[in-house]
Amino acid sequence: MKIERVTLREIRMRLKAPFETSFGVTQERRILLVEMIADGVSGWGEITALESPSYNPETTDTAWHVVSDFIAPVIVGRDLPSSADLPNLLTGIRGHSMAKAGVENALWDIEAQQKGIPLWRLLGGTRDEITCGVSLGIRPTAASLVEKVQQEISCGYQRIKLKIKPGKDVEFVAAVRERYPKIMLSVDANSAYSLGDADHLRKLDKFELIMIEQPLGWDDIYSHARLQSQIRTALCLDECINNRQDADAAVAIGACKIINIKLGRVGGHTGARRVHDVCVERAVPVWCGGMLESGIGRAHNIAMSTLPGFTLPGDVSASSRYWTEDIIEPEVEVSPRGTIASPGASGLGYTVKRNLVEQFCVQSRNWTHGVQVAV
Ligand code: OSB
Ligand code: MG
């Protein structure tokens, strides 16, 4: 596949409602889209960095810089046997996994189109539908959270994840559990606690949560192992797992029993497959995390979620939960059973609405055969 052209666009999309986590509130997304053309075929990827370095060290602006000044110039004009070879061109660039993932994933879309098969099949996916959960932001009161849970359950979602932080945890989980004694329930702290909170976090044991996600430091695998030995509920790592070595180490020392795989955080489909394979080998269930993506990132998440190790419902939900109008068609829809059908069309399996992308676009850059062209 000869990479003929790379286009980087920043689009702005406003979430229907603000999303609050322990690290802050998001409503206006600044999303980078990568469009690549190889052998005349266009493919799309999304860079899932947030606007600030509050989830991981990357931001929309660092990704713009790294793609513009380091990744695009290196890859334009290159001829690769497969998308899986792209990471080898980028080994000189340390970190910046989300920037790399957006680029690599666009090439995967192209490769699948060239082969005339859905991306999920090219990746080795085995499911013709995936199971879906939702991630619910922190709410002002437990009563309003219970109301929101009720709404999502009535839509069919198979697992509910509650964002928590100190002061908005046990009481909120208790209220939801009391109302819904049987649902698959989890919590995500986005690193809001420390090991000294072990006694407090142990209070969550009685709610039979399927997991507690990333309670401790974003880069601290070891402390999670110490916490896991003190509580009964399974820990799940999100922020800590950037590659297969992290997954290997975390599982080996007992830092978690479940892993959340996010395509951006692990550098794209190739890295995701490696983390997935380590987890399958160690019998650790995985699921697909979300980053408030547009339809393009969402479509890549759906494709990844069809791999055999994704045995738990992911944070992959309907376009309409986030956006008034998504940039793909059809939009991502969830069945009343809380599932998304794996698309039948080749490549990503959804069509990018170019008009809408142009409408939402605030800046763009273009590289053709190593020469930057103004657009
Ligand atoms: O930790 O999973 C997370 C959103 C932004 C940053 C981090 C996380 C999240 C979510 C939302 O939980 C998942 C989604 O619905 O896209
Ligand atoms: Mg998380």
Side-chain angles (χ1 to χ4, degrees):
M1 288 179 290
K2 171 117 190 232
I3 300 174
E4 290 154 355
R5 184 176 169 123
V6 175
T7 304
L8 182 63
R9 294 181 178 87
E10 177 183 338
I11 59 167
R12 302 269 166 105
M13 288 179 81
R14 190 173 170 82
L15 290 164
K16 277 183 170 176
F19 186 78
E20 181 173 349
T21 65
S22 65
F23 58 72
V25 181
T26 306
Q27 180 147 30
E28 188 77 24
R29 295 285 350 265
R30 295 179 56 211
I31 295 171
L32 299 189
L33 299 178
V34 178
E35 184 186 10
M36 196 183 285
I37 295 178
D39 307 332
V41 178
S42 153
W44 291 85
E46 175 165 339
I47 296 177
T48 60
L50 297 183
E51 296 70 29
S52 68
S54 38
Y55 164 79
N56 74 348
E58 294 185 78
T59 70
T60 310
D61 291 317
T62 67
W64 182 275
H65 162 55
V66 169
V67 172
S68 297
D69 297 340
F70 301 103
I71 300 178
V74 165
I75 64 170
V76 155
R78 300 297 288 260
D79 199 353
L80 298 173
S82 152
S83 313
D85 298 305
L86 192 75
N88 297 332
L89 296 182
L90 306 178
T91 52
I93 303 166
R94 297 188 182 177
H96 302 284
S97 302
M98 290 173 163
K100 291 172 179 169
V103 173
E104 185 194 314
N105 292 350
L107 196 59
W108 280 102
D109 177 18
I110 292 171
E111 185 171 343
Q113 290 177 62
Q114 285 187 331
K115 293 184 168 154
I117 56 174
L119 173 60
W120 63 274
R121 289 221 183 263
L122 177 62
L123 296 172
T126 53
R127 300 167 198 281
D128 52 22
E129 63 176 23
I130 65 163
T131 59
C132 311
V134 288
S135 173
L136 301 185
I138 296 169
R139 307 237 143 203
T141 64
S144 68
L145 180 62
V146 172
E147 203 174 298
K148 185 74 186 160
V149 170
Q150 178 176 4
Q151 191 186 322
E152 303 292 4
I153 293 283
S154 70
C155 290
Y157 287 104
Q158 298 190 19
R159 185 228 58 203
I160 303 288
K161 159 171 142 183
L162 311 175
K163 291 289 192 179
I164 58 167
K165 66 178 183 182
K168 292 201 160 183
D169 46 27
V170 177
E171 181 202 338
F172 285 67
V173 177
V176 172
R177 193 39 115 195
E178 193 185 332
R179 176 68 208 279
Y180 292 103
K182 290 273 153 58
I183 58 169
M184 207 190 286
L185 191 62
S186 70
V187 295
D188 184 359
N190 290 108
S191 302
Y193 298 88
S194 62
L195 202 47
D197 296 316
D199 290 340
H200 180 68
L201 291 169
R202 201 180 302 109
K203 293 181 192 155
L204 294 172
D205 274 346
K206 65 171 172 289
F207 301 116
E208 302 294 337
L209 302 177
I210 184 165
M211 70 192 96
I212 300 173
E213 184 179 342
Q214 196 70 38
L216 308 180
W218 67 280
D219 57 351
D220 184 359
I221 293 176
Y222 179 59
S223 292
H224 283 93
R226 296 178 65 188
L227 177 62
Q228 183 68 89
S229 71
Q230 297 174 55
I231 65 174
R232 194 164 55 86
T233 309
L235 295 184
C236 168
L237 289 179
D238 173 350
E239 282 90 327
C240 278
I241 307 297
N242 296 294
N243 49 49
R244 88 169 116 193
Q245 298 91 315
D246 290 342
D248 231 340
V251 173
I253 69 170
C256 64
K257 296 176 181 167
I258 297 173
I259 286 179
N260 161 337
I261 302 184
K262 287 184 181 167
L263 270 170
R265 204 192 60 228
V266 301
H269 284 297
T270 305
R273 178 79 213 199
R274 291 182 180 141
V275 173
H276 164 275
D277 291 352
V278 162
C279 292
V280 168
E281 207 173 294
R282 312 275 189 280
V284 170
V286 303
W287 54 280
C288 176
M291 291 295 292
L292 310 172
E293 289 94 344
S294 81
I296 292 174
R298 202 164 295 283
H300 279 285
N301 287 344
I302 292 167
M304 176 178 78
S305 302
T306 64
L307 295 180
F310 285 77
T311 54
L312 293 170
D315 285 343
V316 186
S317 50
S319 297
S320 62
R321 290 190 62 250
Y322 304 84
W323 317 114
T324 310
E325 185 178 4
D326 203 346
I327 59 172
I328 55 166
E329 57 192 354
E331 297 205 346
V332 174
E333 283 182 11
V334 171
S335 77
R337 292 177 297 114
T339 59
I340 295 172
S342 308
S346 73
L348 264 188
Y350 298 83
T351 305
V352 175
K353 294 181 190 166
R354 285 183 179 273
N355 289 347
L356 208 56
V357 168
E358 292 311 330
Q359 190 184 319
F360 292 166
C361 184
V362 294
Q363 56 172 337
S364 67
R365 278 184 87 170
N366 217 321
W367 292 261
T368 308
H369 300 300
V371 181
Q372 195 198 317
V373 177
V375 281

